[in-house]
Amino acid sequence: MNEKIKLLADNIEKVIVGKRGVILELISALLVEGHVLVEDVPGVGKTQLAAALSRSVNGRFNRIQLTPDIMPSDITGFTLINKENGALEYRKGAAFCNFLLADEINRASPKAQSALLEAMEERQISIDGKTYPLPKPFMTLATQNPVETYGTYHLPEAQMDRFSMRLTIGYPDDDAELGILTRNEHGNPIATIEPALSIDDVTALQEQVREVKAAENVRRYITSIVRASRDNESIRLGVSPRGSIALFKAAKARAFIDDRDFITPQDVKKCAVRTLSHRIILSPKGKSEFLTPENALKDILNKTTVPKTIDNEQ
């Protein structure tokens, strides 16, 4: 494993016990400037995961607790008149940070949710005819509880498509839960986290990930998976071109984490479910056959021919 990635993962694992795979997936999203939706039941560490990442990178971290009365200006900022000189002044909103935790995003109204669209895609805020760039890197980590539906709003497909991946943490096993009890015995371990990397380190790593190579047959493997989601009676809405780009970038990050400068088909398969399942909508036939988008996507992966040779390895 790349040494800096290992250092970062080890630091986050001081808080999030026994979830190394989830941590590495979160880091892979960071490496490609992606946004992450963490969808899981209460109490498994969704907020802790986001806070541990931001503290480990020494970036500016803002958290906004999304409720039905949150206004778009709370996220984007607003313009007001300075009473002393009559000039218009812009007051920045929560989005102006390196890591934005949008806690319980599905509790915000559609109007407030839409305030995040420009920030997540263009990494800028436009207000009153002016455009304000967000800090680099900028990453949105949103959480939602899939069980409780009272007082929640459906996330529109346009917003779901802007998340590079959707993660679930899951309950810890026995040994991990014992470790959690020990680490929380004298207080929250998040308070003891020290930065493992700087923002400049992250920017440099992102540049290195862009240089990871992909052979033609691996690129075609990605497009075959995406195309299969579109030409499928079980799927009403297939993966968008933005989704294929997200899978391509995630595979690059996966290869880089494993200290390689080229993508393999296994990198693509490891990332496919996390990066694509939240982008597809099943048809009535698909719901009865597969129950979940994840199962439908796994079926596509099983039926798609995997390249046997990798040009980079020859």
Side-chain angles (χ1 to χ4, degrees):
M1 182 180 294
N2 179 282
E3 284 302 317
K4 287 189 176 181
I5 300 300
K6 185 178 184 303
L7 185 65
L8 179 57
D10 289 345
N11 210 48
I12 297 173
E13 207 165 23
K14 293 176 182 177
V15 176
I16 307 299
V17 184
K19 298 295 178 180
R20 186 75 167 195
V22 175
I23 292 172
L24 291 178
E25 287 171 335
L26 181 66
I27 292 173
S28 71
L30 172 65
L31 293 176
V32 295
E33 302 178 84
H35 308 290
V36 176
L37 175 64
V38 186
E39 186 178 89
D40 219 321
V41 297
V44 295
K46 300 186 295 294
T47 303
Q48 289 281 80
L49 180 64
L53 174 64
S54 65
R55 284 176 175 260
S56 296
V57 175
N58 197 26
R60 182 179 177 186
F61 174 67
N62 281 345
R63 172 182 175 178
I64 183 164
Q65 189 69 42
L66 294 172
T67 56
D69 59 345
I70 285 289
M71 299 296 292
S73 58
D74 295 324
I75 299 171
T76 62
F78 56 92
T79 303
L80 53 75
I81 299 176
N82 188 316
K83 293 182 179 180
E84 294 182 359
N85 55 26
L88 292 176
E89 292 184 356
Y90 174 62
R91 299 292 176 88
K92 294 180 179 180
F96 284 85
C97 59
N98 299 115
F99 300 95
L100 174 64
L101 172 60
D103 215 358
E104 295 191 273
I105 188 172
N106 56 336
R107 290 193 176 278
S109 67
K111 181 182 288 188
Q113 290 179 16
S114 65
L116 282 168
L117 294 180
E118 183 185 17
M120 292 174 69
E121 185 68 14
E122 282 83 26
R123 287 169 168 77
Q124 64 183 29
I125 297 293
S126 298
I127 291 182
D128 298 330
K130 293 186 178 181
T131 299
Y132 304 91
L134 295 174
K136 294 183 179 180
F138 172 73
M139 183 179 189
T140 301
L141 298 110
T143 69
Q144 70 174 2
N145 173 7
V147 178
E148 191 174 21
T149 57
Y150 181 76
T152 63
Y153 298 86
H154 172 73
L155 287 182
E157 280 65 40
Q159 186 157 17
M160 290 294 287
D161 202 37
R162 281 168 167 77
F163 286 105
S164 295
M165 61 178 63
R166 178 174 61 183
L167 301 179
T168 57
I169 298 176
Y171 291 117
D173 58 27
D174 288 347
D175 291 339
E177 194 137 21
L178 284 172
I180 292 171
L181 295 179
T182 300
R183 296 185 190 193
N184 284 269
E185 186 174 5
H186 300 293
N188 192 331
I190 194 71
T192 65
I193 289 289
E194 296 291 336
L197 300 179
S198 68
I199 289 296
D200 290 339
D201 289 330
V202 172
T203 302
L205 289 172
Q206 290 173 340
E207 290 292 336
Q208 293 175 48
V209 171
R210 294 189 187 100
E211 300 303 317
V212 174
K213 303 177 183 65
E216 181 68 20
N217 52 1
V218 177
R219 294 171 187 258
R220 290 189 178 275
Y221 180 49
I222 292 174
T223 59
S224 296
I225 294 171
V226 171
R227 190 172 60 254
S229 75
R230 299 169 186 165
D231 304 328
N232 195 314
E233 293 182 351
S234 298
I235 298 176
R236 179 162 61 89
L237 178 67
V239 177
S240 67
R242 186 189 282 122
S244 61
I245 294 170
L247 178 56
F248 183 49
K249 289 182 175 180
K252 280 192 170 192
R254 185 77 248 181
F256 182 80
I257 287 173
D258 291 341
D259 214 16
R260 280 183 282 105
D261 64 352
F262 61 91
I263 300 174
T264 70
Q266 291 304 314
D267 294 324
V268 176
K269 291 189 75 171
K270 286 178 181 178
C271 301
V273 175
R274 299 294 194 188
T275 56
L276 302 183
S277 63
H278 62 286
R279 305 173 194 272
I280 66 177
I281 297 177
L282 298 180
S283 66
K285 177 184 177 181
K287 290 179 181 178
S288 62
E289 184 177 3
F290 296 111
L291 299 179
T292 66
E294 288 80 3
N295 291 335
L297 196 54
K298 289 175 183 177
D299 183 69
I300 289 174
L301 292 173
N302 290 333
K303 293 178 178 177
T304 304
T305 303
V306 180
K308 293 184 179 180
T309 59
I310 306 301
D311 297 344
N312 303 77
E313 293 180 335
Q314 295 177 347

